[in-house]
Amino acid sequence: MAAYLQWRRFAFFDREMVKEARAGGGPGKALHLPPGITVCDSGKGSLVFGDMEGQIWFLPRSLQLSSFQAYKLRVTHLYQLKQHSILASVGEDEDGINPLVKVWNLEKHDGGNPLCTRIFPAILGNKPTVVSCLTVHENLNFMAIGFADGSVVLTKGDITRDRHSKTQILHEGSYPVTGLAFRQPGKTIHLFVATTENIQCYTLSVKDYPRQELDTHWCGLRCTTLSDPSQDLQFIVAGDECVYLYQPDERGPCFAFEGQKLVVHWYRGYLIIVSKDRKSSPKSEFAGSDPQNSDKQILNIYDLCNKFIAYSSVFDDVVDVLAEWGCLYVLTRDGKIHALQEKDTQTKLEMLFKKNLFEMAINLAKSHHLDSDGLSEIFRQYGDHLYNKGNHDGAIQQYIRTIGKLEPSYVIRKFLDAQRIHNLTAYLQTLHLQSLANADHTTLLLNCYTKLKDSSKLEEFIKSESEVHFDVETAIKVLRQAGYYSHAVYLAEKHAHHEWYLKIQLEDIKNYQEALRYIGKLPFDQAESNMKRYGKILMHHVPNETTELLKTLCTDYRANSEEYVPIFANNSRELKAFLEHMTEVQSDSPQGVYYTLLELRLQNWAHEQDPQVKQKLHNEAISLLKSGRFRTVFDKALVLCQMHNFKDGVLYLYEQGKLFQQIMHYHMRNEQYRKVIEVCELYGDQEACLWEQALSYFARKEEDCKEYITAVLKHIENKNLMPPLLVVQTLAHNSTATLSVIKDYLVNKLQKQSRQIKQDEERIQRYREETARIRKEIQQLRASPKIFQKTKCSICTSALELPSVNFLCGHSFHQHCFESYSENDSECPTCMPENRKVLDMIRAQEQKRDLHDQFQHQLKCSNDGFSVVADYFGRGVFNKLTLITDLPPSKSTTTVDAGLQRELLIH
């Protein structure tokens, strides 16, 4: 039970007298209602009054009174529906006759008056009794009338028509009925009934209308009302000592509002009570206020939700309190109407702010459904008030309620002092929980934790299993900077910030094994990128484990092994093991892998001193060269072998590249005469100039080389590679080469030439005789007739028949055979192939002659002779030119030039 004396009082309503409207539009004198007003109600834009003369009056917003005669004697009760233009009234047309209930349709008229759609007696039977209260359900299907004898009549059905409704006695008792109210939160309809003995509730949506007694308290007339949904549609009963609230099945809260209650109403969440201080008996109260009594009456407007009195004022003889047009109207016995206009929310809040009643302001704002911005401003002002009073704990709680609306920097600046770091921490924690913190806020909160050395809070913050409410990367940076490496590593691993995890492990904790393990668990693409970034550091500290991980990456995940070679800087042993592993498991490893492995093997071979190990390394290098993996990088492999003076490798690569002249020049530089002859024997058939170069080489030697010269000359003679004169000129430079060396060569050469001359002479004689014969035959053909005596066709060999075709060559054909096999009419099909060969030879000779003449002509006329030569060279006109390079450096320039001239003459 709450005592209202403890509630604060405010003036949240403005009071003024309702005045008549002037013709010009401004307010006039105070509005007076007609005398004899006994009952009133409001709804659908009008205030409705009933008087002792049987008239019903209407006061619209324009304040122009109008009336009509509803009853002959008096009007005792009115009920204006809020959602329909339907008015229900109770009154008397004759003395001593039961009261009549009339239902009026205010939108329809009959002779200028509202249409009365239904009239029926208030109570069944002829027993006269007094109507005490009236209520109508907004669905127009229920009407309840209470009587002074304790009975309640319920009309069910369309209350506006007799045919569609049924009237019955719902309740009977011996105590007067003082209050009725329908309640329908959903589909269930309840009817509350209050008497001077008890409070009851009927369930009208259930058959037989079950009843439940709620309480044994009593109340007077007009002292009950129904709250709105904000108070869960509770039935409010006001006694002299307390105000009780009821649900359909139980009694709710109770408020100790003392004083004799005269009128009770509910308006927009407020409970309006008109009461007087002096005590009076329930009987006199039921009978109504004494018109002659002029005691002062107090009107209080209670806010039950926020526990304060919104308005309190004294009135003279209140008839009733009405609500319409967003305002309260208090009707007094003198016929005046007082308007109570509620102040706007902001004004009420400012009044509370001036009294530093911030908690009450917050509750008021919530009950008035103030938006979040407005509430945030109240919280801010409340926080400022507490902060200025030195209540920092309370202030931070209010500032926390502004999160999302108030700029966080406004609060943070107030609590940056070291002594208030606890408050700042609480604010920042909530800021993060609401996911409204930025990176700076995260930094500040973590710094607060670290300064407080509150490891438990720090762990709770970063190890929360719920949604992350902070910028993880910022948190990692701050923790790392503060030296909380384990926490930073935890965050980095949990939220997959792999780079930060590895950076801290490698640079701060120096836990290389753990970093390597972590990389091994990453997805391939991330493991690959991190190995490229941190591989050198790991290789320096844990070379074996790093090498094994790289092997796994490049075999199981097919990474490009060539890209990891730079990681092995200064770790040649691990690099060699890695490359050998890759070449064994992946025959299609990148070219760079084989190239690097060759370089490592050649380095090891070059620096090895043990003969047996050196031979093993030699074999490994040769084996690698013979693997066939250096075709595309032939030149690089050759450079490696030359750099390390790996002779067998150089010769092998020369041979694979068909660089036969280089092989021979290599042996020439090393003066390995036997090797020179072997090269010529092996590759001379593929490149004939090798023998010529060998002769030139031996001819320049001063020592005795007769054996080698003889061998070379024999091959030159067999293959006819050089003119004898050039051979003599070449050997003339060698002082040790005597005539005996070339005697056999010259004799054999002269004998061959003699035989060739004889053969040529015989061939010439034969050609002369043949030419003479042909000329004679041509002359005979020109001068003498040709007799064709062929009897068979030269094509089908069948007997020759006319028509036939004959040629001067002596061949004859059937005409149809000739036409079938002949390509043209002027050539013999039999002689044509041989003739074509001769003609092609003649034509080719003419073209060569023409090409030579054309080339000479262009060369003479062109300003750029080199371009002409280059053009013909590009067209393949000239024979292949063989260049002789790498001559022995010991010979003089003159000797080299002479040798070049001789060798070029050969070609």
Side-chain angles (χ1 to χ4, degrees):
M1 182 180 295
Y4 80 100
L5 293 176
Q6 299 175 356
W7 290 16
R8 288 183 175 271
R9 296 174 181 267
F10 301 98
F12 285 167
F13 287 78
D14 293 323
R15 174 179 173 178
E16 63 178 352
M17 190 73 69
V18 176
K19 298 181 179 181
E20 295 179 352
R22 284 183 179 179
K29 62 181 180 179
L31 177 68
H32 281 78
L33 293 175
I37 297 295
T38 58
V39 66
C40 58
D41 202 356
S42 63
K44 292 301 287 187
S46 295
L47 304 182
V48 186
F49 310 97
D51 62 14
M52 295 297 294
E53 302 296 329
Q55 294 190 84
I56 295 178
W57 297 80
F58 294 95
L59 182 65
R61 195 164 192 174
S62 62
L63 303 180
Q64 299 294 328
L65 269 171
S66 62
S67 67
F68 72 96
Q69 192 71 37
Y71 295 89
K72 294 178 180 180
L73 294 182
R74 67 185 64 85
V75 181
T76 60
H77 294 83
L78 290 174
Y79 192 93
Q80 172 65 57
L81 276 78
K82 305 300 182 289
Q83 301 176 13
H84 305 277
S85 296
I86 300 296
L87 174 66
S89 63
V90 178
E92 300 175 1
D93 281 341
E94 296 181 42
D95 287 329
I97 302 299
N98 286 337
L100 294 177
V101 179
K102 296 184 179 182
V103 180
W104 309 89
N105 189 334
L106 302 181
E107 293 182 346
K108 298 181 180 181
H109 294 83
D110 181 14
N113 297 331
L115 176 63
C116 182
T117 63
R118 185 181 181 190
I119 301 175
F120 63 94
I123 193 167
L124 300 177
N126 295 319
K127 181 182 178 181
T129 184
V130 177
V131 175
S132 59
C133 51
L134 168 70
T135 187
V136 182
H137 197 290
E138 287 292 333
N139 65 9
L140 299 178
N141 286 321
F142 290 97
M143 177 189 292
I145 305 172
F147 295 89
D149 65 356
S151 62
V152 175
V153 172
L154 177 67
T155 299
K156 182 178 180 182
D158 188 351
I159 65 169
T160 64
R161 298 180 182 181
D162 289 325
R163 291 187 304 172
H164 301 286
S165 64
K166 179 182 179 182
T167 302
Q168 68 184 81
I169 297 175
L170 177 68
H171 172 79
E172 289 183 326
S174 57
Y175 294 92
V177 177
T178 56
L180 297 169
F182 286 108
R183 179 183 188 271
Q184 184 179 2
K187 294 182 178 181
T188 305
I189 301 175
H190 296 96
L191 175 63
F192 290 100
V193 178
T195 70
T196 57
E197 180 192 23
N198 56 18
I199 311 297
Q200 304 173 72
C201 179
Y202 287 87
T203 303
L204 303 182
S205 55
V206 178
K207 186 178 181 180
D208 297 332
Y209 307 144
R211 178 180 66 89
Q212 181 173 354
E213 184 173 335
L214 300 177
D215 209 341
T216 56
H217 291 286
W218 66 272
C219 71
L221 288 172
R222 298 187 298 174
C223 291
T224 62
T225 187
L226 193 70
S227 69
D228 58 22
S230 66
Q231 283 290 333
D232 200 19
L233 296 173
Q234 297 185 89
F235 186 55
I236 300 174
V237 177
D240 288 345
E241 300 296 331
C242 297
V243 174
Y244 301 93
L245 280 68
Y246 297 93
Q247 294 281 359
D249 55 352
E250 62 180 354
R251 194 182 84 176
C254 172
F255 298 92
F257 298 149
E258 296 180 355
Q260 183 182 353
K261 310 301 186 299
L262 303 177
V263 178
V264 175
H265 275 283
W266 186 269
Y267 169 73
R268 290 186 175 180
Y270 293 112
L271 177 64
I272 299 99
I273 296 179
V274 179
S275 60
K276 60 182 179 181
D277 292 334
R278 73 178 182 86
K279 305 295 182 181
S280 61
S281 64
K283 294 181 180 179
S284 63
E285 178 63 20
F286 172 75
S289 299
D290 185 359
Q292 305 299 323
N293 192 340
S294 61
D295 288 348
K296 298 293 184 183
Q297 299 173 354
I298 300 174
L299 183 145
N300 288 321
I301 302 177
Y302 298 95
D303 188 329
L304 300 183
C305 180
N306 298 311
K307 306 295 187 298
F308 64 82
I309 300 174
Y311 182 76
S312 182
S313 183
V314 177
F315 291 87
D316 293 333
D317 286 345
V318 176
V319 176
D320 209 341
V321 179
L322 305 176
E324 192 66 27
W325 314 313
C327 189
L328 282 174
Y329 295 94
V330 182
L331 172 63
T332 55
R333 191 68 62 185
D334 57 6
K336 295 181 180 179
I337 301 177
H338 303 266
L340 299 181
Q341 180 67 49
E342 186 179 8
K343 295 178 180 179
D344 62 85
T345 303
Q346 190 60 39
T347 302
K348 291 188 286 187
L349 292 176
E350 290 175 358
M351 294 171 64
L352 295 174
F353 293 159
K354 290 179 181 179
K355 297 181 180 182
N356 295 325
L357 300 175
F358 293 98
E359 285 289 353
M360 190 169 288
I362 293 168
N363 294 333
L364 177 66
K366 289 181 177 179
S367 64
H368 283 60
H369 305 289
L370 194 66
D371 60 15
S372 57
D373 292 332
L375 281 172
S376 177
E377 179 60 21
I378 300 174
F379 298 145
R380 183 195 66 78
Q381 294 187 37
Y382 191 15
D384 291 347
H385 170 70
L386 295 175
Y387 182 86
N388 294 331
K389 289 176 62 178
N391 184 0
H392 298 126
D393 293 339
I396 203 65
Q397 293 304 317
Q398 298 306 317
Y399 287 136
I400 285 174
R401 301 168 81 177
T402 67
I403 290 176
K405 298 298 180 181
L406 181 63
E407 173 59 40
S409 60
Y410 177 88
V411 180
I412 292 173
R413 285 196 298 267
K414 292 178 178 291
F415 293 90
L416 282 177
D417 189 276
Q419 296 180 352
R420 301 169 189 167
I421 194 171
H422 293 280
N423 302 126
L424 179 59
T425 303
Y427 179 81
L428 293 172
Q429 283 176 336
T430 309
L431 196 66
H432 281 80
L433 287 175
Q434 297 187 18
S435 300
L436 295 173
N438 57 28
D440 293 332
H441 299 149
T442 302
T443 302
L444 188 57
L445 177 58
L446 292 174
N447 284 328
C448 290
Y449 285 142
T450 56
K451 287 182 179 180
L452 292 172
K453 300 190 181 303
D454 193 345
S455 298
S456 61
K457 282 287 185 181
L458 181 59
E459 290 190 4
E460 180 183 352
F461 177 73
I462 67 174
K463 294 184 179 181
S464 173
E465 297 298 329
S466 59
E467 181 183 358
V468 177
H469 302 284
F470 57 89
D471 184 80
V472 176
E473 187 170 3
T474 300
I476 294 172
K477 292 179 182 177
V478 175
L479 291 171
R480 184 192 184 198
Q481 186 176 5
Y484 285 79
Y485 301 128
S486 61
H487 296 78
V489 164
Y490 171 83
L491 273 182
E493 183 174 13
K494 179 180 178 181
H495 299 284
H497 286 265
H498 309 309
E499 293 185 9
W500 281 108
Y501 181 91
L502 294 173
K503 187 185 292 291
I504 296 171
Q505 288 284 15
L506 295 175
E507 298 179 7
D508 301 320
I509 305 178
K510 310 294 185 183
N511 192 342
Y512 306 105
Q513 292 283 3
E514 180 60 27
L516 197 64
R517 180 199 63 79
Y518 187 81
I519 293 176
K521 297 191 306 179
L522 294 177
F524 168 68
D525 55 341
Q526 297 177 7
E528 182 184 34
S529 61
N530 281 292
M531 278 305 296
K532 291 177 181 178
R533 181 178 291 113
Y534 301 110
K536 290 184 179 180
I537 298 176
L538 294 170
M539 183 61 67
H540 178 72
H541 292 90
V542 282
N544 294 331
E545 293 84 350
T546 304
T547 302
E548 292 303 317
L549 178 57
L550 287 175
K551 290 179 181 179
T552 302
L553 282 176
C554 296
T555 53
D556 296 347
Y557 298 97
R558 307 297 294 179
N560 188 347
S561 53
E562 185 178 3
E563 297 178 355
Y564 295 100
V565 171
I567 292 176
F568 292 89
N570 302 321
N571 293 82
S572 58
R573 182 175 61 85
E574 285 76 15
L575 175 59
K576 185 172 181 289
F578 172 73
L579 296 176
E580 288 177 346
H581 171 78
M582 294 310 303
T583 56
E584 291 174 2
V585 300
Q586 288 184 2
S587 59
D588 58 343
S589 294
Q591 187 65 59
V593 171
Y594 289 93
Y595 176 78
T596 307
L597 179 59
L598 175 62
E599 184 178 9
L600 285 174
R601 289 183 174 179
L602 290 177
Q603 288 178 354
N604 295 337
W605 173 82
H607 294 89
E608 183 58 50
Q609 300 298 325
D610 189 336
Q612 294 182 352
V613 177
K614 193 176 185 70
Q615 182 60 39
K616 179 182 178 182
L617 295 174
H618 173 278
N619 296 336
E620 290 178 353
I622 288 295
S623 176
L624 185 60
L625 284 174
K626 292 182 178 180
S627 65
R629 297 294 175 178
F630 298 93
R631 294 188 181 92
T632 58
V633 290
F634 172 83
D635 51 345
K636 293 184 179 180
L638 183 59
V639 169
L640 281 179
C641 293
Q642 290 173 341
M643 287 173 55
H644 295 86
N645 197 25
F646 191 60
K647 297 180 180 180
D648 292 347
V650 170
L651 293 174
Y652 174 78
L653 292 173
Y654 279 161
E655 181 180 358
Q656 293 301 307
K658 299 188 181 302
L659 300 176
F660 306 130
Q661 296 187 39
Q662 279 77 357
I663 296 175
M664 189 171 68
H665 294 159
Y666 180 85
H667 293 310
M668 287 178 177
R669 284 194 297 271
N670 293 286
E671 297 188 349
Q672 295 176 330
Y673 303 151
R674 177 57 55 189
K675 291 290 185 181
V676 172
I677 298 298
E678 290 178 358
V679 170
C680 292
E681 291 174 346
L682 289 173
Y683 310 117
D685 294 340
Q686 301 179 49
E687 198 163 346
C689 63
L690 293 178
W691 291 104
E692 304 164 10
Q693 294 177 31
L695 180 63
S696 177
Y697 168 74
F698 288 123
R700 292 193 294 269
K701 292 295 182 180
E702 295 300 328
E703 60 267 26
D704 188 2
C705 297
K706 293 181 180 180
E707 176 185 357
Y708 307 108
I709 293 175
T710 301
V712 172
L713 286 176
K714 183 177 180 181
H715 193 84
I716 291 175
E717 177 187 355
N718 293 336
K719 297 295 184 179
N720 193 23
L721 299 177
M722 293 177 65
L725 181 59
L726 187 54
V727 171
V728 174
Q729 291 176 349
T730 300
L731 294 176
H733 297 281
N734 191 318
S735 60
T736 62
T738 61
L739 184 60
S740 60
V741 176
I742 61 172
K743 174 183 177 183
D744 295 338
Y745 167 76
L746 292 177
V747 170
N748 293 335
K749 197 66 177 175
L750 291 174
Q751 289 177 350
K752 286 182 179 181
Q753 287 182 353
S754 297
R755 288 194 296 270
Q756 184 64 40
I757 290 171
K758 183 178 181 181
Q759 291 175 0
D760 292 341
E761 289 177 349
E762 291 176 353
R763 189 178 294 112
I764 290 170
Q765 182 61 34
R766 189 169 63 253
Y767 286 162
R768 284 177 178 173
E769 293 175 355
E770 181 67 20
T771 301
R773 184 187 62 78
I774 291 173
R775 286 177 177 175
K776 182 179 179 182
E777 185 176 350
I778 292 172
Q779 184 62 32
Q780 289 178 353
L781 289 174
R782 287 178 177 178
S784 303
K786 177 69 172 176
I787 299 174
F788 299 99
Q789 296 180 344
K790 288 283 187 180
T791 59
K792 292 184 180 181
C793 176
S794 299
I795 293 178
C796 66
T797 67
S798 297
L800 193 62
E801 297 177 355
L802 295 178
S804 60
V805 179
N806 301 285
F807 285 90
L808 295 176
C809 60
H811 296 107
S812 298
F813 309 92
H814 292 115
Q815 185 174 0
H816 63 273
C817 291
F818 175 77
E819 291 175 353
S820 299
Y821 290 92
S822 164
E823 294 183 5
N824 56 63
D825 296 339
S826 60
E827 291 189 75
C828 173
T830 303
C831 300
M832 182 177 64
E834 190 65 27
N835 294 340
R836 287 283 177 86
K837 293 180 181 179
V838 176
L839 291 174
D840 288 342
M841 294 173 59
I842 296 173
R843 192 177 298 112
Q845 291 176 355
E846 291 177 350
Q847 287 179 352
K848 288 184 179 180
R849 182 178 67 252
D850 294 342
L851 182 63
H852 175 74
D853 295 341
Q854 183 181 1
F855 171 71
Q856 293 295 336
H857 176 73
Q858 290 184 5
L859 192 62
K860 292 179 180 179
C861 298
S862 176
N863 295 326
D864 187 3
F866 180 78
S867 298
V868 176
V869 175
D871 178 55
Y872 276 84
F873 184 82
R875 288 155 60 184
V877 174
F878 305 112
N879 291 331
K880 179 180 177 182
L881 178 63
T882 303
L883 295 178
I884 308 303
T885 59
D886 298 338
L887 292 175
S890 59
K891 300 302 178 181
S892 63
T893 304
T894 304
T895 306
V896 173
D897 291 343
L900 278 175
Q901 291 175 2
R902 286 195 305 272
E903 290 166 358
L904 288 174
L905 282 173
I906 298 174
H907 297 287

